[in-house]
Amino acid sequence: MPELPEVETTLKGIEPYVLNQTIKYCLVKQRQLRWLVDAHFPQKVQDRKVCALKRRGKYLVFALEHGRSFLIHLGMSGSLRVCEPGLGYRKHDHVIFTLNSNVHLRFHDPRRFGSVVWCDCAVDEHPLIRSLGVEPLGQEFHGEYLYQRARRRTTAIKNFIMNARVVVGVGNIYANEALFMAGIHPKRPANRISLLRMSQLANAIQIILKEAIAEGGTTLKDFVNSKNEPGYFSQKLRVYGKAGSSCQECGSLLKFLCLGQRSTVYCAVCQT
């Protein structure tokens, strides 16, 4: 599933082709995505310039002129691809934007868990956005923030940092990796972690996410970037998907458990 680094990679890939371009035409071939695409979506975006493009959590926000915008979420298997109009459509190209620069931006999603959502209100007030926590790469995210939010939370720390109402975009892969880097056991209650260790965890989350973005994300099954290329962070994974292998730090065997219905790999020696 595309997580924050994959979405950020997509943003960086499409931005040079989309920003300040006008959407001349939009074709919706499949409305039945995670949420039904607005029947009038093509008319609403037509002839509007994309004035800004940003990421909020795992959502890509396309800000249009006249104060309107729309959101795209890549879901489980979605991708955005920039291509020439003459290139034939693929089976799961569901929404196609034709820009005034004569290129296509195509939303491709085999599993159809992604979404294309029109915003009639300010983006920050949209129901999909307004309850989201802080950005992990922003100035508001640090050890003190995590420490204070965790004071009354007995939930496992891995579940805590994956809660989008606390901090957005720390998906399963990167939660595993950050907890290993910080030396924190994934089942440790969030309210039993000191400020110092929370600071180490916040720092680890930022390092891991920045590394993943630099490598173009992590390709496990479906993700490719806007140029149909995979991400390579999987080659640097330290624990995720490596249960039964030797820990890179101490040599003991990495263990597996299911936590919050998500696969979790950790080192019982290095993570306490």
Side-chain angles (χ1 to χ4, degrees), residues 212-243:
I213 291 169
E215 295 293 335
T218 305
T219 295
L220 296 178
K221 291 184 180 179
D222 302 297
F223 173 73
V224 291
N225 64 19
S226 61
K227 296 182 180 179
N228 211 40
E229 300 168 336
Y232 296 100
F233 187 68
S234 59
Q235 298 173 10
K236 294 187 175 181
L237 293 175
R238 299 156 176 90
V239 291
Y240 185 83
K242 297 182 181 294

mmCIF file of all heavy atoms in Angstrom, residues 212-243:
data_model
loop_
_atom_site.group_PDB
_atom_site.id
_atom_site.type_symbol
_atom_site.label_atom_id
_atom_site.label_comp_id
_atom_site.label_asym_id
_atom_site.label_seq_id
_atom_site.Cartn_x
_atom_site.Cartn_y
_atom_site.Cartn_z
ATOM 1 N N ALA A 212 13.382 6.915 2.949
ATOM 2 C CA ALA A 212 12.463 6.268 2.016
ATOM 3 C C ALA A 212 12.102 7.201 0.859
ATOM 4 O O ALA A 212 12.031 6.771 -0.297
ATOM 5 C CB ALA A 212 11.203 5.818 2.748
ATOM 6 N N ILE A 213 11.884 8.471 1.162
ATOM 7 C CA ILE A 213 11.574 9.438 0.115
ATOM 8 C C ILE A 213 12.754 9.562 -0.852
ATOM 9 O O ILE A 213 12.580 9.600 -2.078
ATOM 10 C CB ILE A 213 11.220 10.811 0.723
ATOM 11 C CG1 ILE A 213 9.873 10.726 1.462
ATOM 12 C CG2 ILE A 213 11.171 11.891 -0.354
ATOM 13 C CD1 ILE A 213 9.555 11.928 2.321
ATOM 14 N N ALA A 214 13.960 9.590 -0.299
ATOM 15 C CA ALA A 214 15.157 9.694 -1.135
ATOM 16 C C ALA A 214 15.302 8.493 -2.068
ATOM 17 O O ALA A 214 15.854 8.617 -3.169
ATOM 18 C CB ALA A 214 16.398 9.830 -0.257
ATOM 19 N N GLU A 215 14.796 7.341 -1.638
ATOM 20 C CA GLU A 215 14.892 6.122 -2.443
ATOM 21 C C GLU A 215 13.649 5.908 -3.313
ATOM 22 O O GLU A 215 13.528 4.868 -3.969
ATOM 23 C CB GLU A 215 15.097 4.899 -1.535
ATOM 24 C CG GLU A 215 16.409 4.897 -0.783
ATOM 25 C CD GLU A 215 17.610 4.737 -1.708
ATOM 26 O OE1 GLU A 215 17.441 4.178 -2.814
ATOM 27 O OE2 GLU A 215 18.713 5.173 -1.329
ATOM 28 N N GLY A 216 12.735 6.867 -3.280
ATOM 29 C CA GLY A 216 11.541 6.746 -4.123
ATOM 30 C C GLY A 216 10.462 5.870 -3.554
ATOM 31 O O GLY A 216 9.585 5.384 -4.277
ATOM 32 N N GLY A 217 10.501 5.618 -2.234
ATOM 33 C CA GLY A 217 9.486 4.790 -1.605
ATOM 34 C C GLY A 217 9.904 3.334 -1.530
ATOM 35 O O GLY A 217 11.044 2.967 -1.830
ATOM 36 N N THR A 218 8.971 2.495 -1.118
ATOM 37 C CA THR A 218 9.221 1.066 -0.940
ATOM 38 C C THR A 218 8.300 0.276 -1.855
ATOM 39 O O THR A 218 7.086 0.413 -1.766
ATOM 40 C CB THR A 218 8.945 0.642 0.511
ATOM 41 O OG1 THR A 218 9.716 1.463 1.385
ATOM 42 C CG2 THR A 218 9.317 -0.811 0.730
ATOM 43 N N THR A 219 8.839 -0.524 -2.725
ATOM 44 C CA THR A 219 8.022 -1.365 -3.586
ATOM 45 C C THR A 219 7.902 -2.748 -2.974
ATOM 46 O O THR A 219 8.894 -3.444 -2.828
ATOM 47 C CB THR A 219 8.630 -1.484 -4.988
ATOM 48 O OG1 THR A 219 8.609 -0.203 -5.611
ATOM 49 C CG2 THR A 219 7.828 -2.442 -5.856
ATOM 50 N N LEU A 220 6.685 -3.138 -2.608
ATOM 51 C CA LEU A 220 6.445 -4.491 -2.100
ATOM 52 C C LEU A 220 5.568 -5.272 -3.083
ATOM 53 O O LEU A 220 5.861 -6.400 -3.420
ATOM 54 C CB LEU A 220 5.780 -4.430 -0.732
ATOM 55 C CG LEU A 220 6.657 -3.789 0.357
ATOM 56 C CD1 LEU A 220 5.882 -3.727 1.656
ATOM 57 C CD2 LEU A 220 7.944 -4.584 0.559
ATOM 58 N N LYS A 221 4.507 -4.650 -3.583
ATOM 59 C CA LYS A 221 3.639 -5.327 -4.543
ATOM 60 C C LYS A 221 3.271 -4.408 -5.709
ATOM 61 O O LYS A 221 3.592 -4.685 -6.841
ATOM 62 C CB LYS A 221 2.361 -5.818 -3.852
ATOM 63 C CG LYS A 221 2.590 -6.969 -2.868
ATOM 64 C CD LYS A 221 1.266 -7.446 -2.308
ATOM 65 C CE LYS A 221 1.479 -8.604 -1.321
ATOM 66 N NZ LYS A 221 0.196 -9.062 -0.740
ATOM 67 N N ASP A 222 2.584 -3.317 -5.393
ATOM 68 C CA ASP A 222 1.922 -2.569 -6.455
ATOM 69 C C ASP A 222 2.511 -1.194 -6.768
ATOM 70 O O ASP A 222 2.253 -0.652 -7.830
ATOM 71 C CB ASP A 222 0.436 -2.350 -6.095
ATOM 72 C CG ASP A 222 -0.286 -3.658 -5.880
ATOM 73 O OD1 ASP A 222 -0.378 -4.424 -6.841
ATOM 74 O OD2 ASP A 222 -0.744 -3.903 -4.755
ATOM 75 N N PHE A 223 3.242 -0.605 -5.832
ATOM 76 C CA PHE A 223 3.571 0.797 -6.007
ATOM 77 C C PHE A 223 4.603 1.047 -7.098
ATOM 78 O O PHE A 223 5.632 0.397 -7.166
ATOM 79 C CB PHE A 223 4.090 1.418 -4.702
ATOM 80 C CG PHE A 223 4.601 2.818 -4.903
ATOM 81 C CD1 PHE A 223 3.711 3.850 -5.115
ATOM 82 C CD2 PHE A 223 5.962 3.082 -4.935
ATOM 83 C CE1 PHE A 223 4.174 5.139 -5.344
ATOM 84 C CE2 PHE A 223 6.426 4.366 -5.144
ATOM 85 C CZ PHE A 223 5.534 5.395 -5.346
ATOM 86 N N VAL A 224 4.282 2.005 -7.980
ATOM 87 C CA VAL A 224 5.267 2.592 -8.896
ATOM 88 C C VAL A 224 5.034 4.091 -8.869
ATOM 89 O O VAL A 224 3.967 4.573 -8.520
ATOM 90 C CB VAL A 224 5.122 2.066 -10.339
ATOM 91 C CG1 VAL A 224 5.534 0.606 -10.431
ATOM 92 C CG2 VAL A 224 3.701 2.261 -10.854
ATOM 93 N N ASN A 225 6.059 4.851 -9.237
ATOM 94 C CA ASN A 225 5.926 6.302 -9.210
ATOM 95 C C ASN A 225 5.304 6.805 -10.512
ATOM 96 O O ASN A 225 4.822 6.033 -11.336
ATOM 97 C CB ASN A 225 7.280 6.957 -8.925
ATOM 98 C CG ASN A 225 8.308 6.698 -10.018
ATOM 99 O OD1 ASN A 225 7.968 6.342 -11.149
ATOM 100 N ND2 ASN A 225 9.571 6.848 -9.685
ATOM 101 N N SER A 226 5.329 8.116 -10.721
ATOM 102 C CA SER A 226 4.662 8.712 -11.873
ATOM 103 C C SER A 226 5.286 8.298 -13.199
ATOM 104 O O SER A 226 4.674 8.442 -14.249
ATOM 105 C CB SER A 226 4.686 10.237 -11.742
ATOM 106 O OG SER A 226 6.019 10.704 -11.713
ATOM 107 N N LYS A 227 6.504 7.769 -13.158
ATOM 108 C CA LYS A 227 7.175 7.301 -14.373
ATOM 109 C C LYS A 227 7.116 5.780 -14.509
ATOM 110 O O LYS A 227 7.843 5.188 -15.286
ATOM 111 C CB LYS A 227 8.632 7.771 -14.376
ATOM 112 C CG LYS A 227 8.779 9.286 -14.426
ATOM 113 C CD LYS A 227 10.246 9.693 -14.468
ATOM 114 C CE LYS A 227 10.371 11.221 -14.511
ATOM 115 N NZ LYS A 227 11.791 11.640 -14.536
ATOM 116 N N ASN A 228 6.239 5.167 -13.703
ATOM 117 C CA ASN A 228 6.071 3.714 -13.713
ATOM 118 C C ASN A 228 7.309 2.980 -13.214
ATOM 119 O O ASN A 228 7.572 1.834 -13.577
ATOM 120 C CB ASN A 228 5.702 3.215 -15.116
ATOM 121 C CG ASN A 228 4.832 1.978 -15.077
ATOM 122 O OD1 ASN A 228 3.945 1.872 -14.241
ATOM 123 N ND2 ASN A 228 5.084 1.039 -15.962
ATOM 124 N N GLU A 229 8.067 3.639 -12.325
ATOM 125 C CA GLU A 229 9.282 3.057 -11.768
ATOM 126 C C GLU A 229 9.041 2.659 -10.317
ATOM 127 O O GLU A 229 8.299 3.337 -9.596
ATOM 128 C CB GLU A 229 10.435 4.060 -11.815
ATOM 129 C CG GLU A 229 10.786 4.536 -13.215
ATOM 130 C CD GLU A 229 11.720 5.725 -13.188
ATOM 131 O OE1 GLU A 229 11.743 6.445 -12.173
ATOM 132 O OE2 GLU A 229 12.423 5.936 -14.199
ATOM 133 N N PRO A 230 9.672 1.575 -9.837
ATOM 134 C CA PRO A 230 9.509 1.165 -8.438
ATOM 135 C C PRO A 230 10.365 2.001 -7.504
ATOM 136 O O PRO A 230 11.305 2.679 -7.931
ATOM 137 C CB PRO A 230 10.002 -0.285 -8.455
ATOM 138 C CG PRO A 230 11.034 -0.298 -9.536
ATOM 139 C CD PRO A 230 10.521 0.646 -10.596
ATOM 140 N N GLY A 231 10.026 1.951 -6.214
ATOM 141 C CA GLY A 231 10.885 2.544 -5.203
ATOM 142 C C GLY A 231 11.880 1.515 -4.706
ATOM 143 O O GLY A 231 11.655 0.309 -4.815
ATOM 144 N N TYR A 232 12.976 1.980 -4.128
ATOM 145 C CA TYR A 232 14.070 1.070 -3.781
ATOM 146 C C TYR A 232 14.387 1.015 -2.289
ATOM 147 O O TYR A 232 15.385 0.413 -1.907
ATOM 148 C CB TYR A 232 15.332 1.464 -4.570
ATOM 149 C CG TYR A 232 15.145 1.286 -6.055
ATOM 150 C CD1 TYR A 232 14.858 2.370 -6.867
ATOM 151 C CD2 TYR A 232 15.219 0.025 -6.634
ATOM 152 C CE1 TYR A 232 14.658 2.200 -8.235
ATOM 153 C CE2 TYR A 232 15.028 -0.150 -7.998
ATOM 154 C CZ TYR A 232 14.749 0.941 -8.790
ATOM 155 O OH TYR A 232 14.540 0.769 -10.137
ATOM 156 N N PHE A 233 13.554 1.602 -1.436
ATOM 157 C CA PHE A 233 13.839 1.581 -0.006
ATOM 158 C C PHE A 233 13.762 0.165 0.557
ATOM 159 O O PHE A 233 14.350 -0.119 1.599
ATOM 160 C CB PHE A 233 12.887 2.505 0.754
ATOM 161 C CG PHE A 233 13.231 2.651 2.212
ATOM 162 C CD1 PHE A 233 14.391 3.301 2.596
ATOM 163 C CD2 PHE A 233 12.413 2.129 3.199
ATOM 164 C CE1 PHE A 233 14.721 3.433 3.945
ATOM 165 C CE2 PHE A 233 12.729 2.257 4.541
ATOM 166 C CZ PHE A 233 13.891 2.909 4.912
ATOM 167 N N SER A 234 13.065 -0.724 -0.136
ATOM 168 C CA SER A 234 12.965 -2.106 0.339
ATOM 169 C C SER A 234 14.339 -2.742 0.482
ATOM 170 O O SER A 234 14.538 -3.655 1.289
ATOM 171 C CB SER A 234 12.104 -2.945 -0.608
ATOM 172 O OG SER A 234 12.641 -2.945 -1.914
ATOM 173 N N GLN A 235 15.301 -2.257 -0.281
ATOM 174 C CA GLN A 235 16.658 -2.802 -0.202
ATOM 175 C C GLN A 235 17.361 -2.383 1.089
ATOM 176 O O GLN A 235 18.403 -2.940 1.441
ATOM 177 C CB GLN A 235 17.464 -2.343 -1.417
ATOM 178 C CG GLN A 235 16.884 -2.832 -2.737
ATOM 179 C CD GLN A 235 17.593 -2.241 -3.944
ATOM 180 O OE1 GLN A 235 18.636 -1.608 -3.817
ATOM 181 N NE2 GLN A 235 17.022 -2.445 -5.114
ATOM 182 N N LYS A 236 16.797 -1.394 1.794
ATOM 183 C CA LYS A 236 17.400 -0.903 3.028
ATOM 184 C C LYS A 236 16.606 -1.272 4.273
ATOM 185 O O LYS A 236 16.944 -0.832 5.372
ATOM 186 C CB LYS A 236 17.570 0.622 2.953
ATOM 187 C CG LYS A 236 18.565 1.082 1.890
ATOM 188 C CD LYS A 236 18.810 2.568 1.992
ATOM 189 C CE LYS A 236 19.895 3.021 1.008
ATOM 190 N NZ LYS A 236 20.172 4.462 1.111
ATOM 191 N N LEU A 237 15.540 -2.054 4.113
ATOM 192 C CA LEU A 237 14.731 -2.435 5.265
ATOM 193 C C LEU A 237 15.568 -3.250 6.246
ATOM 194 O O LEU A 237 16.280 -4.176 5.862
ATOM 195 C CB LEU A 237 13.510 -3.244 4.821
ATOM 196 C CG LEU A 237 12.459 -2.483 4.005
ATOM 197 C CD1 LEU A 237 11.372 -3.434 3.531
ATOM 198 C CD2 LEU A 237 11.856 -1.339 4.804
ATOM 199 N N ARG A 238 15.449 -2.897 7.528
ATOM 200 C CA ARG A 238 16.247 -3.549 8.561
ATOM 201 C C ARG A 238 15.486 -4.688 9.245
ATOM 202 O O ARG A 238 16.088 -5.665 9.650
ATOM 203 C CB ARG A 238 16.686 -2.511 9.588
ATOM 204 C CG ARG A 238 17.554 -1.391 8.965
ATOM 205 C CD ARG A 238 17.482 -0.123 9.815
ATOM 206 N NE ARG A 238 18.354 0.940 9.330
ATOM 207 C CZ ARG A 238 18.001 1.867 8.451
ATOM 208 N NH1 ARG A 238 16.783 1.857 7.921
ATOM 209 N NH2 ARG A 238 18.848 2.807 8.081
ATOM 210 N N VAL A 239 14.158 -4.523 9.384
ATOM 211 C CA VAL A 239 13.373 -5.551 10.067
ATOM 212 C C VAL A 239 12.130 -5.975 9.301
ATOM 213 O O VAL A 239 11.764 -7.154 9.336
ATOM 214 C CB VAL A 239 12.966 -5.110 11.504
ATOM 215 C CG1 VAL A 239 14.180 -5.049 12.414
ATOM 216 C CG2 VAL A 239 12.217 -3.782 11.485
ATOM 217 N N TYR A 240 11.446 -5.052 8.655
ATOM 218 C CA TYR A 240 10.161 -5.374 8.033
ATOM 219 C C TYR A 240 10.327 -6.506 7.013
ATOM 220 O O TYR A 240 11.184 -6.465 6.133
ATOM 221 C CB TYR A 240 9.558 -4.153 7.346
ATOM 222 C CG TYR A 240 8.177 -4.431 6.788
ATOM 223 C CD1 TYR A 240 7.052 -4.361 7.602
ATOM 224 C CD2 TYR A 240 8.014 -4.805 5.459
ATOM 225 C CE1 TYR A 240 5.790 -4.644 7.100
ATOM 226 C CE2 TYR A 240 6.757 -5.090 4.951
ATOM 227 C CZ TYR A 240 5.650 -5.000 5.780
ATOM 228 O OH TYR A 240 4.408 -5.286 5.278
ATOM 229 N N GLY A 241 9.493 -7.550 7.162
ATOM 230 C CA GLY A 241 9.544 -8.675 6.247
ATOM 231 C C GLY A 241 10.718 -9.610 6.459
ATOM 232 O O GLY A 241 10.964 -10.505 5.657
ATOM 233 N N LYS A 242 11.443 -9.436 7.570
ATOM 234 C CA LYS A 242 12.660 -10.224 7.797
ATOM 235 C C LYS A 242 12.579 -11.121 9.034
ATOM 236 O O LYS A 242 13.604 -11.485 9.603
ATOM 237 C CB LYS A 242 13.861 -9.285 7.906
ATOM 238 C CG LYS A 242 14.147 -8.492 6.630
ATOM 239 C CD LYS A 242 15.377 -7.610 6.796
ATOM 240 C CE LYS A 242 15.653 -6.807 5.531
ATOM 241 N NZ LYS A 242 16.038 -7.673 4.400
ATOM 242 N N ALA A 243 11.383 -11.458 9.472
ATOM 243 C CA ALA A 243 11.238 -12.347 10.633
ATOM 244 C C ALA A 243 12.001 -13.647 10.400
ATOM 245 O O ALA A 243 11.937 -14.239 9.324
ATOM 246 C CB ALA A 243 9.764 -12.640 10.894
#
